[in-house]
mmCIF file of all heavy atoms in Angstrom:
data_model
loop_
_atom_site.group_PDB
_atom_site.id
_atom_site.type_symbol
_atom_site.label_atom_id
_atom_site.label_comp_id
_atom_site.label_asym_id
_atom_site.label_seq_id
_atom_site.Cartn_x
_atom_site.Cartn_y
_atom_site.Cartn_z
ATOM 1 N N HIS A 432 -26.022 -48.150 -167.414
ATOM 2 C CA HIS A 432 -25.361 -48.296 -168.715
ATOM 3 C C HIS A 432 -23.943 -48.831 -168.551
ATOM 4 O O HIS A 432 -23.434 -49.550 -169.411
ATOM 5 C CB HIS A 432 -25.329 -46.947 -169.440
ATOM 6 C CG HIS A 432 -26.699 -46.414 -169.749
ATOM 7 N ND1 HIS A 432 -27.547 -47.037 -170.625
ATOM 8 C CD2 HIS A 432 -27.367 -45.326 -169.274
ATOM 9 C CE1 HIS A 432 -28.686 -46.360 -170.699
ATOM 10 N NE2 HIS A 432 -28.595 -45.321 -169.890
ATOM 11 N N VAL A 433 -23.331 -48.469 -167.435
ATOM 12 C CA VAL A 433 -21.981 -48.952 -167.157
ATOM 13 C C VAL A 433 -22.055 -49.904 -165.974
ATOM 14 O O VAL A 433 -22.444 -49.516 -164.874
ATOM 15 C CB VAL A 433 -21.017 -47.791 -166.828
ATOM 16 C CG1 VAL A 433 -19.631 -48.338 -166.516
ATOM 17 C CG2 VAL A 433 -20.963 -46.804 -167.979
ATOM 18 N N LEU A 434 -21.705 -51.178 -166.211
ATOM 19 C CA LEU A 434 -21.787 -52.200 -165.173
ATOM 20 C C LEU A 434 -20.394 -52.562 -164.672
ATOM 21 O O LEU A 434 -19.412 -52.529 -165.417
ATOM 22 C CB LEU A 434 -22.485 -53.446 -165.720
ATOM 23 C CG LEU A 434 -23.952 -53.237 -166.144
ATOM 24 C CD1 LEU A 434 -24.478 -54.483 -166.829
ATOM 25 C CD2 LEU A 434 -24.813 -52.870 -164.951
ATOM 26 N N GLU A 435 -20.337 -52.910 -163.381
ATOM 27 C CA GLU A 435 -19.053 -53.245 -162.782
ATOM 28 C C GLU A 435 -18.524 -54.582 -163.314
ATOM 29 O O GLU A 435 -17.346 -54.745 -163.573
ATOM 30 C CB GLU A 435 -19.208 -53.311 -161.255
ATOM 31 C CG GLU A 435 -19.591 -51.962 -160.641
ATOM 32 C CD GLU A 435 -20.126 -52.115 -159.228
ATOM 33 O OE1 GLU A 435 -20.331 -53.268 -158.808
ATOM 34 O OE2 GLU A 435 -20.339 -51.088 -158.579
ATOM 35 N N GLU A 436 -19.423 -55.548 -163.434
ATOM 36 C CA GLU A 436 -19.033 -56.888 -163.874
ATOM 37 C C GLU A 436 -19.915 -57.296 -165.048
ATOM 38 O O GLU A 436 -21.062 -57.711 -164.863
ATOM 39 C CB GLU A 436 -19.188 -57.897 -162.727
ATOM 40 C CG GLU A 436 -18.371 -57.553 -161.490
ATOM 41 C CD GLU A 436 -16.928 -57.950 -161.649
ATOM 42 O OE1 GLU A 436 -16.593 -58.538 -162.689
ATOM 43 O OE2 GLU A 436 -16.133 -57.681 -160.733
ATOM 44 N N LYS A 437 -19.434 -57.171 -166.274
ATOM 45 C CA LYS A 437 -20.257 -57.454 -167.447
ATOM 46 C C LYS A 437 -20.376 -58.952 -167.740
ATOM 47 O O LYS A 437 -21.337 -59.407 -168.349
ATOM 48 C CB LYS A 437 -19.679 -56.739 -168.673
ATOM 49 C CG LYS A 437 -19.753 -55.226 -168.576
ATOM 50 C CD LYS A 437 -19.232 -54.581 -169.833
ATOM 51 C CE LYS A 437 -19.336 -53.062 -169.741
ATOM 52 N NZ LYS A 437 -18.843 -52.409 -170.975
ATOM 53 N N ASN A 438 -19.394 -59.729 -167.324
ATOM 54 C CA ASN A 438 -19.354 -61.152 -167.689
ATOM 55 C C ASN A 438 -19.616 -62.019 -166.466
ATOM 56 O O ASN A 438 -18.901 -61.943 -165.471
ATOM 57 C CB ASN A 438 -17.988 -61.480 -168.287
ATOM 58 C CG ASN A 438 -17.927 -62.875 -168.859
ATOM 59 O OD1 ASN A 438 -18.906 -63.623 -168.802
ATOM 60 N ND2 ASN A 438 -16.778 -63.217 -169.406
ATOM 61 N N SER A 439 -20.656 -62.864 -166.533
ATOM 62 C CA SER A 439 -20.959 -63.771 -165.419
ATOM 63 C C SER A 439 -20.845 -65.227 -165.842
ATOM 64 O O SER A 439 -21.381 -66.120 -165.194
ATOM 65 C CB SER A 439 -22.372 -63.483 -164.896
ATOM 66 O OG SER A 439 -23.332 -63.757 -165.907
ATOM 67 N N SER A 440 -20.139 -65.478 -166.949
ATOM 68 C CA SER A 440 -20.038 -66.835 -167.478
ATOM 69 C C SER A 440 -19.282 -67.772 -166.536
ATOM 70 O O SER A 440 -19.446 -68.989 -166.592
ATOM 71 C CB SER A 440 -19.372 -66.818 -168.855
ATOM 72 O OG SER A 440 -18.067 -66.268 -168.759
ATOM 73 N N ASP A 441 -18.440 -67.196 -165.669
ATOM 74 C CA ASP A 441 -17.686 -68.049 -164.762
ATOM 75 C C ASP A 441 -18.470 -68.432 -163.511
ATOM 76 O O ASP A 441 -17.947 -69.137 -162.641
ATOM 77 C CB ASP A 441 -16.380 -67.358 -164.368
ATOM 78 C CG ASP A 441 -16.626 -66.027 -163.687
ATOM 79 O OD1 ASP A 441 -17.670 -65.408 -163.977
ATOM 80 O OD2 ASP A 441 -15.777 -65.616 -162.873
ATOM 81 N N VAL A 442 -19.702 -67.967 -163.413
ATOM 82 C CA VAL A 442 -20.562 -68.323 -162.274
ATOM 83 C C VAL A 442 -21.489 -69.442 -162.725
ATOM 84 O O VAL A 442 -22.244 -69.285 -163.695
ATOM 85 C CB VAL A 442 -21.379 -67.112 -161.795
ATOM 86 C CG1 VAL A 442 -22.193 -67.493 -160.568
ATOM 87 C CG2 VAL A 442 -20.464 -65.934 -161.485
ATOM 88 N N SER A 443 -21.471 -70.542 -162.037
ATOM 89 C CA SER A 443 -22.310 -71.687 -162.429
ATOM 90 C C SER A 443 -23.786 -71.365 -162.245
ATOM 91 O O SER A 443 -24.166 -70.502 -161.451
ATOM 92 C CB SER A 443 -21.941 -72.913 -161.595
ATOM 93 O OG SER A 443 -22.332 -72.714 -160.242
ATOM 94 N N GLU A 444 -24.631 -72.100 -162.980
ATOM 95 C CA GLU A 444 -26.079 -71.899 -162.884
ATOM 96 C C GLU A 444 -26.571 -72.172 -161.475
ATOM 97 O O GLU A 444 -27.495 -71.509 -160.989
ATOM 98 C CB GLU A 444 -26.807 -72.808 -163.890
ATOM 99 C CG GLU A 444 -26.596 -72.428 -165.340
ATOM 100 C CD GLU A 444 -27.083 -71.013 -165.618
ATOM 101 O OE1 GLU A 444 -28.139 -70.617 -165.067
ATOM 102 O OE2 GLU A 444 -26.403 -70.290 -166.376
ATOM 103 N N GLU A 445 -25.956 -73.134 -160.819
ATOM 104 C CA GLU A 445 -26.361 -73.471 -159.456
ATOM 105 C C GLU A 445 -26.120 -72.309 -158.504
ATOM 106 O O GLU A 445 -26.977 -71.970 -157.673
ATOM 107 C CB GLU A 445 -25.582 -74.709 -158.990
ATOM 108 C CG GLU A 445 -25.986 -75.175 -157.583
ATOM 109 C CD GLU A 445 -25.166 -76.376 -157.129
ATOM 110 O OE1 GLU A 445 -24.428 -76.966 -157.956
ATOM 111 O OE2 GLU A 445 -25.277 -76.714 -155.940
ATOM 112 N N ILE A 446 -24.953 -71.694 -158.652
ATOM 113 C CA ILE A 446 -24.622 -70.552 -157.779
ATOM 114 C C ILE A 446 -25.505 -69.346 -158.125
ATOM 115 O O ILE A 446 -25.965 -68.627 -157.236
ATOM 116 C CB ILE A 446 -23.133 -70.193 -157.915
ATOM 117 C CG1 ILE A 446 -22.276 -71.326 -157.354
ATOM 118 C CG2 ILE A 446 -22.825 -68.877 -157.209
ATOM 119 C CD1 ILE A 446 -20.784 -71.112 -157.504
ATOM 120 N N LYS A 447 -25.746 -69.136 -159.423
ATOM 121 C CA LYS A 447 -26.641 -68.039 -159.828
ATOM 122 C C LYS A 447 -27.995 -68.187 -159.157
ATOM 123 O O LYS A 447 -28.564 -67.228 -158.609
ATOM 124 C CB LYS A 447 -26.824 -68.033 -161.346
ATOM 125 C CG LYS A 447 -25.659 -67.473 -162.132
ATOM 126 C CD LYS A 447 -25.979 -67.461 -163.617
ATOM 127 C CE LYS A 447 -24.772 -66.974 -164.431
ATOM 128 N NZ LYS A 447 -25.054 -66.997 -165.880
ATOM 129 N N LEU A 448 -28.545 -69.415 -159.232
ATOM 130 C CA LEU A 448 -29.858 -69.676 -158.634
ATOM 131 C C LEU A 448 -29.818 -69.442 -157.137
ATOM 132 O O LEU A 448 -30.739 -68.845 -156.556
ATOM 133 C CB LEU A 448 -30.271 -71.120 -158.948
ATOM 134 C CG LEU A 448 -31.669 -71.530 -158.453
ATOM 135 C CD1 LEU A 448 -32.736 -70.638 -159.086
ATOM 136 C CD2 LEU A 448 -31.933 -72.998 -158.765
ATOM 137 N N GLN A 449 -28.724 -69.887 -156.515
ATOM 138 C CA GLN A 449 -28.574 -69.688 -155.069
ATOM 139 C C GLN A 449 -28.579 -68.195 -154.712
ATOM 140 O O GLN A 449 -29.234 -67.776 -153.752
ATOM 141 C CB GLN A 449 -27.265 -70.330 -154.600
ATOM 142 C CG GLN A 449 -26.911 -70.019 -153.139
ATOM 143 C CD GLN A 449 -25.465 -70.357 -152.834
ATOM 144 O OE1 GLN A 449 -24.885 -71.265 -153.427
ATOM 145 N NE2 GLN A 449 -24.881 -69.623 -151.901
ATOM 146 N N ILE A 450 -27.858 -67.419 -155.508
ATOM 147 C CA ILE A 450 -27.764 -65.974 -155.231
ATOM 148 C C ILE A 450 -29.106 -65.294 -155.461
ATOM 149 O O ILE A 450 -29.559 -64.481 -154.645
ATOM 150 C CB ILE A 450 -26.670 -65.345 -156.113
ATOM 151 C CG1 ILE A 450 -25.293 -65.835 -155.666
ATOM 152 C CG2 ILE A 450 -26.728 -63.817 -156.044
ATOM 153 C CD1 ILE A 450 -24.147 -65.395 -156.566
ATOM 154 N N ILE A 451 -29.769 -65.627 -156.567
ATOM 155 C CA ILE A 451 -31.075 -65.000 -156.868
ATOM 156 C C ILE A 451 -32.094 -65.338 -155.795
ATOM 157 O O ILE A 451 -32.842 -64.469 -155.312
ATOM 158 C CB ILE A 451 -31.566 -65.439 -158.262
ATOM 159 C CG1 ILE A 451 -30.649 -64.848 -159.345
ATOM 160 C CG2 ILE A 451 -33.006 -64.991 -158.490
ATOM 161 C CD1 ILE A 451 -30.896 -65.400 -160.723
ATOM 162 N N GLU A 452 -32.135 -66.626 -155.383
ATOM 163 C CA GLU A 452 -33.071 -67.020 -154.329
ATOM 164 C C GLU A 452 -32.734 -66.322 -153.014
ATOM 165 O O GLU A 452 -33.623 -65.911 -152.265
ATOM 166 C CB GLU A 452 -33.030 -68.536 -154.158
ATOM 167 C CG GLU A 452 -33.675 -69.291 -155.324
ATOM 168 C CD GLU A 452 -33.554 -70.812 -155.157
ATOM 169 O OE1 GLU A 452 -32.810 -71.248 -154.241
ATOM 170 O OE2 GLU A 452 -34.205 -71.548 -155.934
ATOM 171 N N GLY A 453 -31.438 -66.209 -152.753
ATOM 172 C CA GLY A 453 -31.020 -65.518 -151.531
ATOM 173 C C GLY A 453 -31.428 -64.053 -151.540
ATOM 174 O O GLY A 453 -31.890 -63.517 -150.522
ATOM 175 N N LEU A 454 -31.264 -63.408 -152.689
ATOM 176 C CA LEU A 454 -31.659 -61.992 -152.803
ATOM 177 C C LEU A 454 -33.159 -61.832 -152.622
ATOM 178 O O LEU A 454 -33.636 -60.906 -151.946
ATOM 179 C CB LEU A 454 -31.229 -61.442 -154.167
ATOM 180 C CG LEU A 454 -29.731 -61.227 -154.368
ATOM 181 C CD1 LEU A 454 -29.432 -60.859 -155.819
ATOM 182 C CD2 LEU A 454 -29.200 -60.135 -153.443
ATOM 183 N N GLU A 455 -33.941 -62.741 -153.229
ATOM 184 C CA GLU A 455 -35.405 -62.662 -153.091
ATOM 185 C C GLU A 455 -35.828 -62.843 -151.643
ATOM 186 O O GLU A 455 -36.752 -62.175 -151.166
ATOM 187 C CB GLU A 455 -36.054 -63.722 -153.982
ATOM 188 C CG GLU A 455 -35.931 -63.408 -155.475
ATOM 189 C CD GLU A 455 -36.467 -64.530 -156.348
ATOM 190 O OE1 GLU A 455 -36.758 -65.629 -155.797
ATOM 191 O OE2 GLU A 455 -36.584 -64.318 -157.578
ATOM 192 N N LYS A 456 -35.130 -63.746 -150.941
ATOM 193 C CA LYS A 456 -35.445 -63.970 -149.526
ATOM 194 C C LYS A 456 -35.132 -62.722 -148.695
ATOM 195 O O LYS A 456 -35.926 -62.317 -147.833
ATOM 196 C CB LYS A 456 -34.640 -65.159 -149.006
ATOM 197 C CG LYS A 456 -35.003 -65.559 -147.574
ATOM 198 C CD LYS A 456 -34.256 -66.814 -147.163
ATOM 199 C CE LYS A 456 -34.618 -67.210 -145.734
ATOM 200 N NZ LYS A 456 -33.892 -68.422 -145.291
ATOM 201 N N LEU A 457 -33.991 -62.107 -148.973
ATOM 202 C CA LEU A 457 -33.621 -60.881 -148.249
ATOM 203 C C LEU A 457 -34.580 -59.740 -148.575
ATOM 204 O O LEU A 457 -34.869 -58.890 -147.712
ATOM 205 C CB LEU A 457 -32.189 -60.474 -148.594
ATOM 206 C CG LEU A 457 -31.078 -61.369 -148.034
ATOM 207 C CD1 LEU A 457 -29.721 -60.864 -148.479
ATOM 208 C CD2 LEU A 457 -31.134 -61.438 -146.513
ATOM 209 N N GLU A 458 -35.069 -59.714 -149.826
ATOM 210 C CA GLU A 458 -36.068 -58.700 -150.189
ATOM 211 C C GLU A 458 -37.330 -58.889 -149.368
ATOM 212 O O GLU A 458 -37.930 -57.921 -148.871
ATOM 213 C CB GLU A 458 -36.390 -58.783 -151.685
ATOM 214 C CG GLU A 458 -35.311 -58.220 -152.584
ATOM 215 C CD GLU A 458 -35.705 -58.261 -154.048
ATOM 216 O OE1 GLU A 458 -36.917 -58.179 -154.343
ATOM 217 O OE2 GLU A 458 -34.809 -58.379 -154.911
ATOM 218 N N GLU A 459 -37.765 -60.144 -149.225
ATOM 219 C CA GLU A 459 -38.968 -60.437 -148.436
ATOM 220 C C GLU A 459 -38.771 -60.023 -146.978
ATOM 221 O O GLU A 459 -39.698 -59.551 -146.327
ATOM 222 C CB GLU A 459 -39.277 -61.936 -148.517
ATOM 223 C CG GLU A 459 -39.762 -62.392 -149.904
ATOM 224 C CD GLU A 459 -39.896 -63.906 -149.986
ATOM 225 O OE1 GLU A 459 -39.713 -64.567 -148.936
ATOM 226 O OE2 GLU A 459 -40.194 -64.408 -151.083
ATOM 227 N N GLN A 460 -37.547 -60.215 -146.481
ATOM 228 C CA GLN A 460 -37.239 -59.839 -145.091
ATOM 229 C C GLN A 460 -36.985 -58.341 -144.941
ATOM 230 O O GLN A 460 -36.789 -57.847 -143.837
ATOM 231 C CB GLN A 460 -36.005 -60.607 -144.621
ATOM 232 C CG GLN A 460 -36.197 -62.103 -144.560
ATOM 233 C CD GLN A 460 -34.890 -62.842 -144.303
ATOM 234 O OE1 GLN A 460 -33.806 -62.238 -144.255
ATOM 235 N NE2 GLN A 460 -34.981 -64.159 -144.135
ATOM 236 N N GLU A 461 -36.964 -57.618 -146.080
ATOM 237 C CA GLU A 461 -36.698 -56.177 -146.114
ATOM 238 C C GLU A 461 -35.351 -55.830 -145.462
ATOM 239 O O GLU A 461 -35.192 -54.827 -144.769
ATOM 240 C CB GLU A 461 -37.832 -55.395 -145.446
ATOM 241 C CG GLU A 461 -39.150 -55.555 -146.182
ATOM 242 C CD GLU A 461 -40.305 -54.813 -145.511
ATOM 243 O OE1 GLU A 461 -40.142 -54.393 -144.336
ATOM 244 O OE2 GLU A 461 -41.353 -54.659 -146.157
ATOM 245 N N TYR A 462 -34.367 -56.716 -145.729
ATOM 246 C CA TYR A 462 -33.030 -56.478 -145.194
ATOM 247 C C TYR A 462 -32.408 -55.213 -145.776
ATOM 248 O O TYR A 462 -31.581 -54.563 -145.146
ATOM 249 C CB TYR A 462 -32.137 -57.689 -145.505
ATOM 250 C CG TYR A 462 -30.713 -57.523 -145.028
ATOM 251 C CD1 TYR A 462 -30.404 -57.540 -143.657
ATOM 252 C CD2 TYR A 462 -29.673 -57.332 -145.933
ATOM 253 C CE1 TYR A 462 -29.102 -57.373 -143.228
ATOM 254 C CE2 TYR A 462 -28.361 -57.166 -145.496
ATOM 255 C CZ TYR A 462 -28.081 -57.182 -144.138
ATOM 256 O OH TYR A 462 -26.798 -57.005 -143.702
ATOM 257 N N TYR A 463 -32.828 -54.830 -146.970
ATOM 258 C CA TYR A 463 -32.276 -53.651 -147.637
ATOM 259 C C TYR A 463 -32.565 -52.344 -146.885
ATOM 260 O O TYR A 463 -32.005 -51.301 -147.190
ATOM 261 C CB TYR A 463 -32.804 -53.539 -149.076
ATOM 262 C CG TYR A 463 -34.321 -53.561 -149.192
ATOM 263 C CD1 TYR A 463 -35.078 -52.408 -149.032
ATOM 264 C CD2 TYR A 463 -34.983 -54.761 -149.481
ATOM 265 C CE1 TYR A 463 -36.460 -52.435 -149.140
ATOM 266 C CE2 TYR A 463 -36.367 -54.793 -149.594
ATOM 267 C CZ TYR A 463 -37.106 -53.628 -149.422
ATOM 268 O OH TYR A 463 -38.472 -53.656 -149.524
ATOM 269 N N LEU A 464 -33.453 -52.400 -145.888
ATOM 270 C CA LEU A 464 -33.778 -51.204 -145.110
ATOM 271 C C LEU A 464 -32.784 -50.973 -143.966
ATOM 272 O O LEU A 464 -32.868 -49.949 -143.282
ATOM 273 C CB LEU A 464 -35.195 -51.315 -144.535
ATOM 274 C CG LEU A 464 -36.329 -51.403 -145.562
ATOM 275 C CD1 LEU A 464 -37.661 -51.509 -144.852
ATOM 276 C CD2 LEU A 464 -36.324 -50.190 -146.492
ATOM 277 N N LYS A 465 -31.885 -51.888 -143.775
ATOM 278 C CA LYS A 465 -30.917 -51.755 -142.684
ATOM 279 C C LYS A 465 -29.683 -50.982 -143.173
ATOM 280 O O LYS A 465 -29.241 -51.157 -144.305
ATOM 281 C CB LYS A 465 -30.505 -53.132 -142.158
ATOM 282 C CG LYS A 465 -31.667 -53.924 -141.561
ATOM 283 C CD LYS A 465 -31.196 -55.239 -140.981
ATOM 284 C CE LYS A 465 -32.364 -56.017 -140.380
ATOM 285 N NZ LYS A 465 -32.997 -55.307 -139.250
ATOM 286 N N GLN A 466 -29.140 -50.168 -142.284
ATOM 287 C CA GLN A 466 -27.979 -49.360 -142.667
ATOM 288 C C GLN A 466 -26.744 -50.212 -142.943
ATOM 289 O O GLN A 466 -25.870 -49.825 -143.710
ATOM 290 C CB GLN A 466 -27.650 -48.324 -141.578
ATOM 291 C CG GLN A 466 -28.599 -47.147 -141.583
ATOM 292 C CD GLN A 466 -28.095 -45.986 -140.734
ATOM 293 O OE1 GLN A 466 -26.961 -45.990 -140.283
ATOM 294 N NE2 GLN A 466 -28.952 -45.001 -140.516
ATOM 295 N N GLU A 467 -26.684 -51.405 -142.313
ATOM 296 C CA GLU A 467 -25.517 -52.256 -142.539
ATOM 297 C C GLU A 467 -25.618 -53.056 -143.830
ATOM 298 O O GLU A 467 -24.749 -53.873 -144.143
ATOM 299 C CB GLU A 467 -25.315 -53.216 -141.356
ATOM 300 C CG GLU A 467 -26.396 -54.277 -141.219
ATOM 301 C CD GLU A 467 -27.513 -53.845 -140.268
ATOM 302 O OE1 GLU A 467 -27.665 -52.630 -140.042
ATOM 303 O OE2 GLU A 467 -28.213 -54.719 -139.758
ATOM 304 N N CYS A 468 -26.697 -52.815 -144.600
ATOM 305 C CA CYS A 468 -26.866 -53.536 -145.855
ATOM 306 C C CYS A 468 -25.843 -53.049 -146.878
ATOM 307 O O CYS A 468 -25.966 -51.962 -147.432
ATOM 308 C CB CYS A 468 -28.291 -53.345 -146.392
ATOM 309 S SG CYS A 468 -28.558 -54.150 -147.982
ATOM 310 N N ASN A 469 -24.825 -53.863 -147.101
ATOM 311 C CA ASN A 469 -23.825 -53.571 -148.117
ATOM 312 C C ASN A 469 -23.460 -54.854 -148.835
ATOM 313 O O ASN A 469 -23.918 -55.950 -148.466
ATOM 314 C CB ASN A 469 -22.593 -52.906 -147.507
ATOM 315 C CG ASN A 469 -21.981 -53.719 -146.381
ATOM 316 O OD1 ASN A 469 -21.871 -54.937 -146.487
ATOM 317 N ND2 ASN A 469 -21.585 -53.052 -145.291
ATOM 318 N N ALA A 470 -22.646 -54.755 -149.867
ATOM 319 C CA ALA A 470 -22.327 -55.925 -150.686
ATOM 320 C C ALA A 470 -21.685 -57.032 -149.853
ATOM 321 O O ALA A 470 -22.010 -58.217 -150.016
ATOM 322 C CB ALA A 470 -21.419 -55.519 -151.837
ATOM 323 N N TYR A 471 -20.823 -56.651 -148.953
ATOM 324 C CA TYR A 471 -20.134 -57.659 -148.137
ATOM 325 C C TYR A 471 -21.120 -58.425 -147.262
ATOM 326 O O TYR A 471 -21.113 -59.656 -147.215
ATOM 327 C CB TYR A 471 -19.075 -56.985 -147.270
ATOM 328 C CG TYR A 471 -18.407 -57.926 -146.287
ATOM 329 C CD1 TYR A 471 -17.405 -58.801 -146.710
ATOM 330 C CD2 TYR A 471 -18.803 -57.951 -144.951
ATOM 331 C CE1 TYR A 471 -16.805 -59.683 -145.819
ATOM 332 C CE2 TYR A 471 -18.210 -58.826 -144.053
ATOM 333 C CZ TYR A 471 -17.213 -59.686 -144.490
ATOM 334 O OH TYR A 471 -16.635 -60.558 -143.611
#
Side-chain angles (χ1 to χ4, degrees):
H432 297 294
V433 179
L434 297 173
E435 296 164 352
E436 302 280 357
K437 294 183 179 181
N438 188 359
S439 63
S440 60
D441 59 332
V442 183
S443 69
E444 291 300 321
E445 182 182 350
I446 293 177
K447 283 183 183 178
L448 183 60
Q449 172 195 330
I450 291 174
I451 292 170
E452 289 177 350
L454 288 172
E455 290 175 350
K456 186 175 180 181
L457 289 179
E458 285 183 30
E459 290 173 6
Q460 296 171 355
E461 296 178 346
Y462 178 70
Y463 54 84
L464 298 180
K465 298 183 180 297
Q466 284 193 10
E467 68 267 21
C468 178
N469 55 42
Y471 174 79

